[in-house]
Amino acid sequence: MPATAPHLPPRSRSPHRLLLVSCSAQKNTVTGSVPAWHLYDGVAYRVMKRALRAAEWPEDLDVVILSSKYGLIEPDAPIDAYDEIMTPERAERMQHVVHGKLVRLIESRAYRELLVFAGQDYLRALRLSPVWLPRRLSVEVAPGGIGKKLHRLRLWITADQERELG
């Protein structure tokens, strides 16, 4: 794990936004269990960690990770390194548990916005549907290819700071 990896702030006391990000194939070299946040080193995690280092992380933002091995987990959940790919079949098998955890998480907090940064197989595991989503919750799945998704992620994370500065 890089010495410069910033720590994700604790859960917000007044959460309004939830970022759900899939795990990444690119991982830091670790020994034993480490917080999920420190294991993953894909481009989305680099964007998030850069925002933390630059003090651009908003106070009202919480993060949850959808792991192809562990399901829906908190960033500080201790996990071991693994090499598990999210396939359509795996997504189908995980769907009930992942969906249930996501529903409970959303119901337990007063989120207004949800950004999902994930590929198609991860979306299948989530089973997003307006039928069960609270009406107060605005849901966005980051659109496009990886470059466009990363741009949207960066804008979404720093939206509050840009409004305050502008």
Side-chain angles (χ1 to χ4, degrees), residues 78-106:
I79 62 173
D80 294 322
Y82 63 93
D83 190 18
E84 180 92 32
I85 296 170
M86 182 65 83
T87 62
E89 297 77 24
R90 179 146 184 78
E92 292 291 329
R93 286 192 311 270
M94 295 176 83
Q95 197 176 63
H96 181 71
V97 172
V98 167
H99 173 78
K101 274 185 99 168
L102 182 59
V103 169
R104 286 189 299 281
L105 175 64
I106 288 171

Side-chain angles (χ1 to χ4, degrees), residues 8 33 61 68 90 95-96 101 120 122 154 162 166:
L8 194 61
S33 294
L61 180 60
S68 56
R90 179 146 184 78
Q95 197 176 63
H96 181 71
K101 274 185 99 168
Q120 289 301 314
Y122 290 89
R154 174 84 173 122
E162 290 174 4

Side-chain angles (χ1 to χ4, degrees), residues 11 18 20 64-67 70-75 77 94-109 111 125-127 132:
R11 277 211 175 270
L18 177 64
L20 190 155
V64 66
I65 299 168
L66 179 53
S67 163
Y70 297 102
L72 201 62
I73 58 174
E74 298 289 332
M94 295 176 83
Q95 197 176 63
H96 181 71
V97 172
V98 167
H99 173 78
K101 274 185 99 168
L102 182 59
V103 169
R104 286 189 299 281
L105 175 64
I106 288 171
E107 288 177 349
S108 72
R109 309 206 27 115
Y111 295 113
L126 291 172
R127 204 174 77 204
W132 64 264

